[in-house]
Amino acid sequence: GNSVTQMEGPVTLSEEAFLTINCTYTATGYPSLFWYVQYPGEGLQLLLKATKADDKGSNKGFEATYRKETTSFHLEKGSVQVSDSAVYFCALGANAGGTSYGKLTFGQGTILTVHP
Amino acid sequence: DTAVSQTPKYLVTQMGNDKSIKCEQNLGHDTMYWYKQDSKKFLKIMFSYNNKELIINETVPNRFSPKSPDKAHLNLHINSLELGDSAVYFCASSHWDRLNTEAFFGQGTRLTVV
């Protein structure tokens, strides 16, 4: 079945540091890949997405590239801010037909804390 | 305007009680979901409905019964609550679209069973 593995957290950085959160996946077919963010006390918000190999998703300075050869979708940001402190989830969306269609499979989440 | 709204936001109840969580979306989506987030933040799908039809039921105890009166609503009823049901429950919705399974999430309902 489908699965997503994220790097273990928590991750603690100073403001303006470079961020990488690793994400690898196992899937059949050609899934879509997503990064969602959960700020404290809130629901999940879509941060960025990529629907096919070599696509790069980007938003708010965050980027991730869909790498089919390495089955990865690593999240990066060149300069983090205190306001980026949140839990980040990598997710895989089943694109194939059938009973799993529409289902998101999430990684375990990575807690990011950015200090001033 | 809230796109996906859940009520209540917090729910504290005793073991053995029956409770419901309501969810509504105003995005015109035809597919809705319930996800459970445990204390370690892990998210797992419970159910999905497409056009009021159950599509996914992920080995959830039958004490949990989703009900979809129309495409814009998906409620979750839980019978005989147990301590292990304590979690945050998220409702979500999306289009049934082969190229884009992006889902929009509600704010969550934090259920505490005591």
Side-chain angles (χ1 to χ4, degrees):
Chain A
N2 294 341
S3 67
V4 177
T5 302
Q6 278 180 243
M7 74 185 257
E8 293 272 343
V11 173
T12 303
L13 295 172
S14 297
E15 209 165 24
E16 299 183 4
F18 183 83
L19 168 71
T20 300
I21 302 178
N22 289 339
C23 172
T24 57
Y25 68 90
T26 303
T28 54
Y30 301 94
S32 292
L33 298 172
F34 306 88
W35 277 99
Y36 279 86
V37 59
Q38 184 178 24
Y39 296 104
E42 298 185 11
L44 281 81
Q45 303 173 27
L46 178 68
L47 181 59
L48 52 84
K49 65 182 179 185
T51 57
K52 61 182 187 297
D54 300 326
D55 267 3
K56 178 187 279 188
S58 61
N59 186 28
K60 299 181 181 179
F62 291 89
E63 292 183 341
T65 301
Y66 189 159
R67 301 278 187 209
K68 191 166 172 58
E69 64 277 13
T70 54
T71 61
S72 64
F73 193 55
H74 305 321
L75 182 69
E76 295 182 339
K77 186 174 186 182
S79 176
V80 293
Q81 306 300 312
V82 172
S83 57
D84 293 327
S85 298
V87 184
Y88 291 81
F89 293 92
C90 185
L92 180 156
N95 269 351
T99 57
S100 292
Y101 190 71
K103 168 184 172 181
L104 285 171
T105 300
F106 285 90
Q108 65 266 43
T110 302
I111 299 172
L112 171 66
T113 303
V114 180
H115 291 299
Chain B
D1 274 349
T2 304
V4 182
S5 59
Q6 298 177 228
T7 54
K9 188 170 182 179
Y10 299 97
L11 183 53
V12 180
T13 188
Q14 292 187 326
M15 279 197 311
N17 283 351
D18 303 338
K19 290 293 180 185
S20 291
I21 307 171
K22 295 187 176 181
C23 179
E24 175 181 6
Q25 54 93 6
N26 62 4
L27 298 167
H29 290 159
D30 53 9
T31 306
M32 296 185 72
Y33 312 82
W34 279 108
Y35 285 83
K36 179 180 180 180
Q37 185 176 44
D38 64 21
S39 58
K40 295 183 179 179
K41 301 288 188 185
F42 186 68
L43 276 155
K44 187 171 166 53
I45 194 167
M46 301 172 68
F47 302 102
S48 81
Y49 270 73
N50 174 252
N51 284 319
K52 302 192 296 175
E53 181 183 349
L54 180 65
I55 301 298
I56 295 174
N57 182 344
E58 289 277 310
T59 60
V60 177
N62 57 15
R63 297 183 295 104
F64 290 78
S65 52
K67 285 188 170 51
S68 183
D70 55 58
K71 287 194 301 183
H73 296 84
L74 180 62
N75 303 322
L76 183 65
H77 188 76
I78 315 170
N79 289 327
S80 303
L81 278 154
E82 300 177 357
L83 292 177
D85 298 331
S86 296
V88 181
Y89 293 85
F90 286 101
C91 178
S93 72
S94 70
H95 282 297
W96 189 262
D97 182 333
R98 181 163 288 274
L99 293 180
N100 181 353
T101 54
E102 172 185 346
F104 292 79
F105 285 78
Q107 296 294 297
T109 296
R110 182 175 294 278
L111 171 65
T112 304
V113 182
V114 298

